[in-house]
Amino acid sequence: MDDRVILRIGTKILSPFILIFALYVQFHGDYGPGGGFQAGVIFAAAFVLYALVFGLGNAIKVMPPKVAYICGAMGVVIYLGVGYLSMFRGGEFLNYSYLFDPEHDPTHGQHYGIIGIELGVLVTVFGVMVALFYAFAGRRRIDT
Amino acid sequence: MISFTLFNYWAVIVLMMVGFYTLISRDNLVKKLIGLNIFQTSVIMMYVSIGKITGGTAPILMESGDHGGEVAVDAGHAAVEVLYSNPIPHVLMLTAIVVGVATLALGLSLVVRINEAYGTIEEDEIARKDNAR
Amino acid sequence: MTETMVQLVDVVLLVLLAITGIAVIRTRNLFVAVMLAGIYSLLSAGLFVVMDAVDVAFTEAAVGAGISTVLMLGTLALVGYKESAPTHKPILPLFVVLVTGGILVYGTAEIPPFGGADNPAHKHVAAHYIHDSEEEIGHIPNVVTSVLGSYRGYDTMGETAVIFTAMVGVLLLLSRGPLPKRIFHAGQWHTVKAGTTREDMVAKFGGDAGPDETVKDGPARTEGGADG
């Protein structure tokens, strides 16, 4: 493992840019191709790359599996939370127009609602992808 | 040139059948899952083909960079009418791809467990071991 | 002129996809097959760009070519990468495939021509989404995002729940639970002391304490059950 200098240095240089690119894809999804699904996968790809190069043990120190599991569940909660919030503010479930004063400007609420649910999708997809990778990589081969 | 009106659909059907053949003719479970993946991608291509409009562009509305609502709407009316492809198949297939990887992961984990239980992932050997019991 | 170019790229990509697919069928090495599947995903992402589905292309490139390939490689590390020679004659599957393909091609006779702007698929709500989303949703130029997030918010919510469920399923099948309190090995029960690691148990009990938790705590749950 120690002689793969180019791989290790390359990973260290690339990882922050992959994470930043994921955030760009997330928040630029309104204006161009992208959104929560793609951003979540790219965000997870940074950790998968780290685990492939530095080994699963080090990756688990950076990103414990429990955090990934919680992320996977929290994203759904965030999504549902946006839906219930618009319900408690007088609209229908997931009717984001009611998130802010609907008489004033319903598109305001729509915009924040979409940002909210995209955040939920990002968190779920990220957590699920990292958890799936850990599940497969953490299992040892049995020779029968 | 060949009549292009239906060529896309036929090509996609050929790809679909390549995936289907892999799925039903191979005994290896991982190979079957790869075939299923090819089949699924082909179905996605079919839907996206239905959404395509010749001469159209990606469904991202064009306008000036101005973020003011009314100005942008006015600019849109003044500009030449742009033809956009149908966004609905894109939305449906976007989600289908992510569900696809979720089902693929579930299938692969079943393959791992089958390998641990039987020591093989070839379908005929699994059937033989089952029948020998 | 440009449309001819688009059609040319379209045909080239479809031919490359067909070649990749046939190579997947022919190869006997699963590692090669997985890599070819990744190439297939990337080529199809290119095809999606040609057909104006940029969001789908992005997702396919990230998910299909990236994560799927990594998961399949993770599986191959556990199950090996050799495929045994086929035992059956390929006549029956070939017949089924040809008949199914023939029926599908027959069905395309009723499909409206590819790329027609007046096709029924574009007549329902698509025009509404494109023309009115600016006023209804606000300044979100990417119609796919506004449809995904707002018009079809329920759809995406179910989607998010589905991938969460898939994670739960995979973890139930693959992840390792806590160590058992005691273990049945060589005809008698052994109590596992606190602080024992999994490696210690594998060293002491061998295969019985292996990574498969069903082997370890299977007998511990059903008292005196026969060790499979």
Side-chain angles (χ1 to χ4, degrees):
Chain A
M1 185 56 76
D2 282 68
D3 54 339
R4 296 175 189 166
V5 179
I6 294 175
L7 266 183
R8 285 189 292 132
I9 302 292
T11 307
K12 277 185 180 170
I13 295 173
L14 272 178
S15 293
F17 288 105
I18 295 175
L19 295 175
I20 292 286
F21 180 62
L23 291 178
Y24 165 77
V25 169
Q26 166 81 8
F27 293 111
H28 204 260
D30 295 358
Y31 305 101
F37 288 109
Q38 295 95 329
V41 172
I42 295 171
F43 216 85
F47 290 92
V48 171
L49 177 68
Y50 190 90
L52 287 175
V53 174
F54 290 96
L56 198 63
N58 286 322
I60 281 175
K61 279 179 202 151
V62 177
M63 177 78 202
K66 203 165 261 183
V67 175
Y69 305 157
I70 290 170
C71 275
M74 278 311 290
V76 183
V77 172
I78 292 172
Y79 203 121
L80 289 174
V82 174
Y84 278 117
L85 192 65
S86 47
M87 204 162 99
F88 288 134
R89 291 186 64 85
E92 295 89 358
F93 185 66
L94 288 174
N95 185 350
Y96 317 129
S97 297
Y98 287 85
L99 283 177
F100 292 93
D101 188 14
E103 276 78 34
H104 169 61
D105 188 6
T107 63
H108 202 58
Q110 287 284 347
H111 211 142
Y112 280 97
I114 288 179
I115 288 176
I117 62 119
E118 290 274 8
L119 186 71
V121 172
L122 168 91
V123 172
T124 296
V125 172
F126 162 68
V128 169
M129 292 304 159
V130 172
L132 290 184
F133 176 74
Y134 281 167
F136 279 96
R139 209 163 172 86
R140 250 168 278 149
R141 181 171 182 167
I142 301 179
D143 288 308
T144 43
Chain B
M1 213 176 152
I2 33 170
S3 116
F4 207 73
T5 53
L6 288 177
F7 170 77
N8 231 64
Y9 297 130
W10 292 345
V12 168
I13 287 170
V14 169
L15 295 175
M16 215 182 274
M17 289 307 115
V18 166
F20 190 37
Y21 180 78
T22 317
L23 181 63
I24 61 176
S25 73
R26 302 289 130 164
D27 287 327
N28 191 292
L29 293 174
V30 174
K31 200 69 169 285
K32 274 177 188 290
L33 281 173
I34 293 173
L36 195 64
N37 230 15
I38 290 177
F39 195 113
Q40 181 207 358
T41 312
S42 313
V43 172
I44 290 167
M45 276 178 218
M46 188 69 150
Y47 270 83
V48 172
S49 307
I50 290 172
K52 164 77 178 164
I53 297 178
T54 312
T57 181
I60 296 171
L61 302 175
M62 290 182 201
E63 58 218 330
S64 57
D66 202 325
H67 282 229
E70 283 171 48
V71 181
V73 169
D74 283 346
H77 281 299
V80 188
E81 191 67 33
V82 188
L83 194 59
Y84 297 108
S85 287
N86 194 342
I88 300 171
H90 302 181
V91 175
L92 299 179
M93 291 307 108
L94 187 87
T95 53
I97 290 174
V98 182
V99 166
V101 77
T103 51
L104 175 76
L106 208 55
L108 287 173
S109 56
L110 281 171
V111 169
V112 169
R113 293 304 299 256
I114 287 172
N115 184 54
E116 286 171 6
Y118 289 88
T120 177
I121 52 167
E122 302 286 332
E123 202 178 38
D124 48 343
E125 287 181 40
I126 292 169
R128 203 177 305 141
K129 289 193 178 183
D130 263 347
N131 293 334
R133 271 183 196 176
Chain C
M1 174 61 202
T2 50
E3 274 312 307
T4 330
M5 282 298 292
V6 167
Q7 288 181 1
L8 193 67
V9 174
D10 187 271
V11 171
V12 168
L13 282 173
L14 282 169
V15 169
L16 285 175
L17 279 168
I19 293 171
T20 316
I22 290 166
V24 168
I25 295 181
R26 291 189 60 83
T27 182
R28 196 67 57 71
N29 188 327
L30 287 179
F31 183 74
V32 174
V34 167
M35 278 336 212
L36 285 171
I39 292 170
Y40 187 93
S41 284
L42 212 54
L43 285 171
S44 61
L47 190 70
F48 294 147
V49 173
V50 174
M51 292 201 266
D52 298 338
V54 279
D55 279 272
V56 182
F58 201 165
T59 317
E60 180 70 37
V63 174
I67 295 291
S68 294
T69 311
V70 168
L71 290 182
M72 286 204 212
L73 289 178
T75 310
L76 289 195
L78 296 169
V79 302
Y81 56 87
K82 285 213 176 58
E83 185 190 0
S84 65
T87 48
H88 312 290
K89 288 208 173 67
I91 293 168
L92 182 64
L94 211 56
F95 175 73
V96 170
V97 162
L98 286 178
V99 168
T100 317
I103 292 171
L104 286 175
V105 168
Y106 176 70
T108 58
E110 296 284 312
I111 288 188
F114 174 71
D118 297 325
N119 287 356
H122 314 313
K123 290 293 170 202
H124 192 44
V125 282
H128 172 80
Y129 289 157
I130 285 173
H131 290 123
D132 300 340
S133 72
E134 181 82 32
E135 287 153 42
E136 290 177 357
I137 308 294
H139 185 74
I140 296 180
N142 191 352
V143 182
V144 173
T145 301
S146 55
V147 175
L148 184 90
S150 190
Y151 290 112
R152 290 186 169 270
Y154 271 108
D155 210 342
T156 314
M157 184 186 77
E159 176 83 19
T160 317
V162 163
I163 57 171
F164 169 69
T165 314
M167 177 183 81
V168 173
V170 171
L171 290 178
L172 282 175
L173 282 166
L174 286 188
S175 79
R176 300 188 291 187
L179 287 175
K181 294 277 191 298
R182 48 194 198 135
I183 182 167
F184 190 78
H185 178 67
Q188 56 177 330
W189 288 96
H190 301 267
T191 313
V192 178
K193 291 188 200 75
T196 319
T197 64
R198 208 171 287 269
E199 282 71 28
D200 296 340
M201 290 190 51
V202 175
K204 196 173 173 189
F205 301 115
D208 282 6
D212 187 357
E213 68 268 40
T214 56
V215 177
K216 290 193 309 285
D217 49 12
R221 279 191 199 136
T222 55
E223 296 260 327
D227 197 314

